[in-house]
Amino acid sequence: MAQTSFWERLRRLLQRPSGLQRARAALQARDFRTAIAYLEKYLRRHPDDAAARCDLGLCWAQIGDKARAAQQFELALALNDTFAPALINQASILAEAHRSDDAWQLIRRMPLLDPHFPGLDQVLATLLHSRGDVEKARQAGLRAWLKAFDNPLQAEAWLFDSAYAEIPESTLTAEHHFWAQTLPPLAADPAVPARPAKAQRRADRRLRVGYWSPDFRNHSVFYFVYPLLKHHDRQRFEIYAYHDFTTSDELTNVIRACVDHFHAVGEMGDQQLLSLIASHDLDILVELAGHTSTNRLHLLKTRLARIQLTGLGYPPTTGLTSIDGKFSDRHITPGPYFDQFYTEAPFCLPESFWCFDPYWPVTQRRTQPPCDAGQTFTFASVGNISKVTTTILSVWADILRQCPDARLLVRSPNFIDPAAQRAFLGRAQRAGLDVNRLQLVDPVPSNEFLASFNEIDVLLDTYPFNGGTTSAFALYMGVAMVSRYGDGLRSRMGLSMLCNVGLSECAVADWDTYVERAVALYRERTIVRRFRAEAAQRFAATALGDGERYCRQVETAYREWWQAAASGAPPRPAFPPPHLPVKEITRRAYQAWGHGQSDVARRIIDYALRLDPHYLPARLLPILQRELDGDYAGILRETQALLETTNAAHDTAAALIALLRAALALDARDTLAIWRPRVAPDDTSDSIDRTYLTWLVRWIDAMMGADGRPNVASPVATARWAIVIEARDHERFDECRRQWQTALGEQASHVHFFPCCTATLPWDFDRVLHDLNETPVDFVLFASAGVRIVAANALLACEEALRHGDVVSFGGARQWNRLHWRRAAFDDKVSCYAVAAQMGRATVELRKSGASLQAIDNGWAILDGRWLAMGKATLLALPREAVALDWHLVGIPSLPWEEWVYRLGREQRLRLTTAQHLELIIDETDDTPWLHTADASAHLIERYGFDSAADLESDDTIMSIPVKDTNQLLLVRTLFDRGFPHDTIASAASTPCR
């Protein structure tokens, strides 16, 4: 037997996956316990690996040990307090623990670290949702999803938040259908038999039914699935249960005893789970989670059973047309009209879509309402405060005004968090509720939960998302309820339950009747008393409270659906599902593309084009994606063809912009000459496109008129300048100084250069101020090492701008209400500069943000700190305390200068001015170090009261023009309007600050 050589053994050893690689492979496969073993072994040898500690924390969180997870995230942050994944995961743990104030403290450190980190938006959405601010939560959730579109957690959170929102049921359905239509393809589909033909199986055979849920445990779903599983006829049905959660409890064992086959699948990977379910050859599979947490609904894009149903755990539609039916009843879907709100056909039961069994014995049940025992008449709401909309709060305020000695009790698990209580009280006050008659209470322990309903006279249901489990508990305990109903299941759960227990008159269709009914129950308490006395009997007499009766109805429906499927005619929805506007779908595609997700953008665009094959912006995106490969010739060819064949009714601005940019990149002047007369910016409806086209047209006109050779006068002698360059070290400063001297030419003799080191910026700035006293100059420029000029024209333009203001830069914003002012709304900011770029024949890309086309403009609150020019007299006349840079911000590019100039404008009343025609080139890859970003972020938020969430609501629109060479940048001055602000003209070089 030949011996293996040393080199062969070494090669094999080097090819063997490391422990860390094996850990991450196990984490990817959801084998969390194996990943934990590998990670703990690895960390014994590499205890300072923050990323590995973060991975270990994720594993502990996935198997339910949040304490150990938090410990690992804390250790990771101790090693690296700028490590965004650890910071976000720790914030998520704190949010789940109802410690939102602590979570917010971590979130406040993020915007300067990585404002585009997808998890940041998602944790923000969680925090906002927990405080009842559903609309802002949705906005953050959608941003998170579009940044990481194929992350199922982001998608589910967005859809879940949408279910709470005051949006039409058709819009909610369209959102779910959008999710389903843009899912990525599954890696592999398991082999599942097709729907059976009549001859294959007897209609009366024992059916195999599977139930799949992460909630076979102490969870609200348990109370509705338990009576169904408990009463199944095991002679006629073979029952499978798939518990898709990583931990179990006492109630898990209760479910286990109710089924023939129980499988704990929470730690299985997707493919392993698919194969397992497929191997059971199910006739019916019932998915019980919908888009709630820890679901794997996307796997049902394939067919795992001959009939696939969803129900009990999630009221809205799943969005998947591969799911055949949704649990419903005659109150939920009384006619075909209601089918339009689901992609599934209604699995319609004769009495109730679910059955409730509290499981725990009732030891205390009132037979009379508490108001008859001398207590204050109590209206109540119990459950998630995110269901309590501003509209509902104002309705409740109206009820209390008409019921003078009643009170409103609100019990919610959210109120464990003091911040949630504060937020709710604030919303209630703004809605006009008398908070002196409002009592907010924490949830009670499980063994006291049923008895807690004994202190309530009337439950006030929420809308559009009705109460589910809490309403069932309240009715079971004899509490009368008023509920408003709408079109979909989320707003008809109350209607169904009230009809089942004989209180149909308490289900109403509008708010006025809701108020009338609640006030009537307060004034005439016969219904309240009678229902309290009869609730137990009423419950037991319906499928809502009789598990065996309900189960027989479900089994009958199973058999009917099975027979229909066997005959080749399974039930189908009566209407196709509604869809989002094609414009909105396309907008999301562009956003996904902007976040580097080309494959995602392609899937979304494919969906948009299936809905409207002629929608021009959707047809355009695949063409624009050619820019990633530098294929400007392809863009030019295809946009011309697109525009030639497009219906004039479509807004062609985006396609024209793409065509003109490609022609400029290729220096295709013949094409520009043909298309320039067809461009009419004023006919464009979108303000950004209108600005962009105007800017492009001005550039083309200037370039064609100059024939590529700018006709500009040679610079005249300027005033004397001091140029202060911030650089990481003296070597970098010398390099920048040589670049400046070359660009200035003869004018360099009028310029004095001063260095400022990034690491010691505040102290070097003091030294520069001292030296300026002795230096014969008129103007001072503070510039970043990454900024250079094309010619001395930039200084001339600054001198011109300084006649209209006190401090000048190439960009700024109208207000500083967020850390990243550059992400402000399009109309509230401005900037113009060039960057090096290889775009076809172009070597430079001119970039502009903001709507203003004014060469010089005033009225800014903050300026871009990479270029700040001012008169020497103005600078030296400032009070000593006004010329100190904030040392907390040292090491962060441009930020110390920007905070300084903000103070100059706010406290010293200096006029902050922008000049967009400075002909600058900026190296945005300059390697200036970023230090202490988390501390700086927290410092600024505390000092100026910035809203961390504002940084995530960004406008990142950049308009760009490919420029053939740097000399052509001298045309920039022709792009802007030359009218000046109305300020009195004064020489900034000689006028001290006011």
Side-chain angles (χ1 to χ4, degrees):
M1 182 176 178
Q3 290 187 342
T4 305
S5 70
F6 167 78
W7 297 111
E8 178 63 18
R9 293 197 303 272
L10 179 60
R11 184 186 67 81
R12 292 180 182 176
L13 181 63
L14 293 175
Q15 289 180 341
R16 183 183 303 169
S18 69
L20 188 58
Q21 289 172 325
R22 289 173 174 168
R24 286 176 175 158
L27 178 58
Q28 186 71 24
R30 295 174 60 88
D31 187 356
F32 304 117
R33 297 188 189 279
T34 299
I36 287 171
Y38 279 124
L39 284 166
E40 288 184 332
K41 183 177 179 181
Y42 170 83
L43 286 166
R44 282 195 289 271
R45 289 176 293 166
H46 306 279
D48 296 336
D49 190 330
R53 291 209 172 275
C54 188
D55 287 342
L56 181 56
L58 280 172
C59 291
W60 283 121
Q62 287 294 330
I63 65 173
D65 195 333
K66 299 301 176 65
R68 287 186 177 180
Q71 182 184 41
Q72 292 302 320
F73 296 142
E74 287 174 0
L75 288 171
L77 288 172
L79 293 167
N80 180 1
D81 70 348
T82 67
F83 188 52
L87 193 151
I88 287 300
N89 284 312
Q90 180 69 335
S92 181
I93 291 287
L94 292 171
E96 290 180 20
H98 301 287
R99 295 171 55 190
S100 65
D101 282 336
D102 293 335
W104 272 105
Q105 291 303 316
L106 292 177
I107 291 295
R108 291 171 70 180
R109 298 166 59 186
M110 275 297 297
L112 283 179
L113 294 175
D114 186 358
H116 296 290
F117 191 74
L120 176 57
D121 281 299
Q122 189 49 62
V123 175
L124 180 62
T126 300
L127 290 169
L128 291 167
H129 185 95
S130 71
R131 296 184 179 189
D133 195 341
V134 173
E135 192 49 47
K136 283 188 177 180
R138 289 185 74 232
Q139 294 170 11
L142 182 57
R143 291 194 302 268
W145 185 21
L146 293 176
K147 290 176 184 177
F149 196 79
D150 286 343
N151 183 332
L153 296 179
Q154 314 289 13
E156 307 303 351
W158 157 250
L159 294 173
F160 188 71
D161 283 338
S162 295
Y164 285 78
E166 290 185 281
I167 57 177
E169 203 67 30
S170 57
T171 302
L172 183 61
T173 305
E175 288 288 5
H176 287 74
H177 192 52
F178 170 78
W179 165 81
Q181 291 296 309
T182 55
L183 279 171
L186 292 175
D189 287 350
V192 178
R195 294 181 185 275
K198 214 173 192 180
Q200 285 180 298
R201 299 195 173 185
R202 301 191 321 273
D204 60 349
R205 63 179 292 275
R206 188 185 186 207
L207 295 182
R208 292 178 182 168
V209 180
Y211 293 91
W212 177 19
S213 174
D215 303 322
F216 294 142
R217 54 192 172 97
N218 188 4
H219 187 279
S220 59
V221 169
F222 170 86
Y223 303 107
F224 301 99
V225 73
Y226 166 65
L228 174 59
L229 298 182
K230 176 183 177 183
H231 292 98
H232 260 310
D233 183 345
R234 307 275 276 276
Q235 299 300 313
R236 300 174 62 230
F237 295 88
E238 185 178 2
I239 306 301
Y240 292 75
Y242 306 97
H243 179 46
D244 203 358
F245 200 68
T246 52
T247 59
S248 300
D249 58 23
E250 176 186 353
L251 297 185
T252 308
N253 294 327
V254 172
I255 297 295
R256 188 191 303 268
C258 292
V259 301
D260 299 290
H261 311 281
F262 184 91
H263 298 274
V265 299
E267 295 187 24
M268 286 186 180
D270 286 354
Q271 286 303 311
Q272 187 181 0
L273 176 57
L274 285 171
S275 298
L276 174 69
I277 297 177
S279 71
H280 295 152
D281 193 18
L282 296 174
D283 297 306
I284 299 171
L285 176 61
V286 184
E287 184 280 326
L288 297 167
H291 289 280
T292 57
S293 60
T294 67
N295 78 84
R296 284 194 263 186
L297 188 61
H298 63 284
L299 297 184
L300 282 177
K301 185 179 180 180
T302 191
R303 184 156 290 283
L304 296 175
R306 292 166 181 82
I307 297 172
Q308 300 189 150
L309 303 174
T310 183
L312 305 188
Y314 185 70
T317 182
T318 63
L320 287 168
T321 55
S322 54
I323 296 182
D324 303 295
K326 182 173 182 64
F327 274 58
S328 181
D329 62 40
R330 62 189 178 90
H331 311 291
I332 303 297
T333 50
Y337 165 80
F338 297 92
D339 288 14
Q340 66 182 297
F341 305 118
Y342 310 93
T343 55
E344 313 86 3
F347 183 78
C348 196
L349 298 169
E351 293 184 72
S352 176
F353 73 100
W354 60 9
C355 177
F356 174 74
D357 185 332
Y359 183 71
W360 310 105
V362 180
T363 57
Q364 303 175 47
R365 181 196 291 271
R366 279 184 181 268
T367 57
Q368 291 184 327
C371 61
D372 283 354
Q375 297 182 20
T376 301
F377 191 96
T378 302
F379 292 107
S381 172
V382 181
N384 192 328
I385 61 169
S386 296
K387 293 183 179 182
V388 182
T389 66
T390 301
T391 302
I392 293 173
L393 287 170
S394 63
V395 169
W396 290 350
D398 193 11
I399 292 170
L400 287 186
R401 279 192 289 270
Q402 297 186 50
C403 304
D405 62 347
R407 66 167 182 156
L408 175 61
L409 180 150
V410 182
R411 174 176 285 116
S412 174
N414 305 75
F415 292 154
I416 297 173
D417 187 345
Q421 288 203 29
R422 294 195 302 270
F424 188 88
L425 279 173
R427 289 202 297 136
Q429 285 180 309
R430 290 190 294 274
L433 259 170
D434 181 354
V435 295
N436 294 318
R437 298 167 64 191
L438 176 65
Q439 182 181 2
L440 308 185
V441 292
D442 293 352
V444 295
S446 298
N447 60 344
E448 300 175 16
F449 185 66
L450 281 168
S452 69
F453 289 93
N454 288 328
E455 60 183 315
I456 300 170
D457 292 292
V458 173
L459 191 73
L460 297 177
D461 200 4
T462 50
Y463 177 91
F465 201 151
N466 292 166
T469 309
T470 53
S471 295
F473 270 109
L475 292 170
Y476 182 83
M477 292 298 291
V479 179
M481 178 174 76
V482 179
S483 180
R484 180 182 172 183
Y485 59 83
D487 290 330
L489 175 57
R490 66 169 177 158
S491 57
R492 297 178 76 85
M493 293 185 289
L495 169 67
S496 176
M497 288 187 282
L498 287 170
C499 288
N500 269 277
V501 297
L503 286 178
S504 58
E505 68 272 28
C506 291
V508 301
D510 58 73
W511 286 126
D512 288 343
T513 313
Y514 183 100
V515 173
E516 290 174 9
R517 192 70 70 238
V519 174
L521 292 176
Y522 162 80
R523 290 174 177 167
E524 173 51 63
R525 302 176 186 181
T526 303
I527 293 176
V528 174
R529 295 184 180 105
R530 183 186 304 132
F531 183 69
R532 179 76 69 165
E534 299 173 358
Q537 292 76 21
R538 293 192 191 189
F539 231 84
T542 72
L544 176 62
D546 183 343
E548 185 170 1
R549 179 173 177 166
Y550 173 75
C551 187
R552 296 293 85 77
Q553 293 175 1
V554 170
E555 290 176 344
T556 298
Y558 282 167
R559 188 68 63 179
E560 290 172 352
W561 274 58
W562 165 257
Q563 291 171 348
S567 67
R572 297 293 188 199
F575 300 98
H579 59 77
L580 296 173
V582 175
K583 183 177 182 179
E584 171 61 15
I585 295 170
T586 304
R587 185 190 71 82
R588 294 181 184 186
Y590 277 85
Q591 285 191 294
W593 182 46
H595 291 300
Q597 302 171 98
S598 297
D599 291 343
V600 168
R602 178 79 255 185
R603 291 202 308 271
I604 298 175
I605 284 298
D606 286 346
Y607 175 45
L609 291 174
R610 289 198 299 273
L611 296 171
D612 184 353
H614 304 292
Y615 186 59
L616 189 144
R619 296 170 65 193
L620 180 63
L621 183 55
I623 300 173
L624 296 180
Q625 289 181 317
R626 290 177 174 270
E627 187 167 338
L628 297 174
D629 301 321
D631 185 8
Y632 293 97
I635 294 174
L636 187 60
R637 181 178 61 254
E638 294 191 25
T639 50
Q640 287 189 89
L642 187 63
L643 286 165
E644 294 288 3
T645 59
T646 294
N647 188 324
H650 285 288
D651 191 340
T652 58
L656 283 169
I657 290 168
L659 184 149
L660 296 177
R661 289 185 74 255
L664 286 167
L666 297 171
D667 200 23
R669 299 193 173 220
D670 290 343
T671 302
L672 290 171
I674 293 170
W675 283 94
R676 163 61 186 90
R678 305 189 194 184
V679 180
D682 290 341
D683 294 340
T684 302
S685 58
D686 183 85
S687 62
I688 295 177
D689 286 346
R690 186 165 54 249
T691 303
Y692 203 163
L693 281 173
T694 302
W695 200 48
L696 278 166
V697 164
R698 290 183 181 185
W699 177 266
I700 292 167
D701 290 347
M703 186 190 72
M704 301 288 275
D707 193 28
R709 295 182 298 275
N711 182 20
V712 292
S714 300
V716 297
T718 68
R720 298 164 299 177
W721 280 84
I723 298 179
V724 182
I725 300 175
E726 180 192 347
R728 63 180 179 270
D729 53 38
H730 206 78
E731 183 179 353
R732 177 71 171 129
F733 166 77
D734 286 339
E735 178 186 348
C736 294
R737 179 172 57 183
R738 288 192 295 271
Q739 290 175 346
W740 273 86
Q741 289 171 335
T742 300
L744 289 169
E746 295 180 1
Q747 184 61 29
S749 61
H750 297 279
V751 175
H752 298 264
F753 292 92
F754 297 88
C756 269
C757 179
T758 297
T760 56
L761 186 60
W763 301 275
D764 287 0
F765 182 48
D766 281 344
R767 174 183 49 77
V768 168
L769 290 174
H770 178 270
D771 292 346
L772 282 174
N773 275 305
E774 310 299 326
T775 306
V777 295
D778 305 300
F779 298 97
V780 182
L781 172 66
F782 302 98
S784 164
V787 178
R788 61 187 178 94
I789 62 174
V790 177
N793 295 337
L795 296 184
L796 287 170
C798 263
E799 292 177 27
E800 178 189 23
L802 284 168
R803 297 175 61 205
H804 306 276
D806 299 308
V807 189
V808 170
S809 182
F810 60 86
R814 295 293 181 193
Q815 55 183 332
W816 196 22
N817 59 355
R818 60 179 73 204
L819 287 172
H820 286 270
W821 61 264
R822 292 174 182 82
R823 308 181 77 198
F826 185 73
D827 291 338
D828 292 338
K829 63 187 175 186
V830 74
S831 70
C832 183
Y833 58 92
V835 298
Q838 193 60 48
M839 303 172 66
R841 297 173 190 169
T843 58
V844 179
E845 179 184 8
L846 186 62
R847 292 183 175 180
K848 171 171 167 48
S849 66
S852 173
L853 290 174
Q854 196 80 19
I856 299 172
D857 202 0
N858 279 339
W860 306 99
I862 189 168
L863 298 176
D864 196 304
R866 290 173 288 183
W867 175 289
L868 295 174
M870 61 195 309
K872 173 184 173 181
T874 300
L875 176 64
L876 296 183
L878 291 169
R880 182 71 185 89
E881 65 274 10
V883 290
L885 297 181
D886 191 336
W887 62 269
H888 293 91
L889 310 180
V890 171
I892 302 176
S894 76
L895 191 56
W897 300 107
E898 289 165 3
E899 191 275 340
W900 175 57
V901 80
Y902 174 70
R903 282 189 280 120
L904 294 183
R906 191 172 76 160
E907 299 171 5
Q908 303 302 316
R909 314 304 296 173
L910 295 192
R911 295 169 299 170
L912 307 188
T913 304
T914 56
Q916 295 190 78
H917 59 313
L918 296 185
E919 302 155 5
L920 307 179
I921 301 177
I922 296 181
D923 179 7
E924 294 192 319
T925 64
D926 187 76
D927 57 349
T928 303
W930 285 62
L931 305 172
H932 315 301
T933 51
D935 293 339
S937 175
H939 169 70
L940 285 177
I941 289 171
E942 182 177 353
R943 180 166 186 171
Y944 294 117
F946 294 141
D947 179 3
S948 300
D951 275 293
L952 305 178
E953 301 169 6
S954 64
D955 177 272
D956 296 319
T957 304
I958 296 290
M959 299 176 288
S960 67
I961 297 176
V963 180
K964 185 176 180 180
D965 55 50
T966 55
N967 288 330
Q968 240 182 18
L969 285 177
L970 298 176
L971 293 172
V972 167
R973 68 188 66 181
T974 67
L975 302 184
F976 297 98
D977 299 326
R978 304 300 295 180
F980 296 118
H982 60 269
D983 297 43
T984 301
I985 295 177
S987 172
S990 58
T991 304
C993 66
R994 295 169 299 287

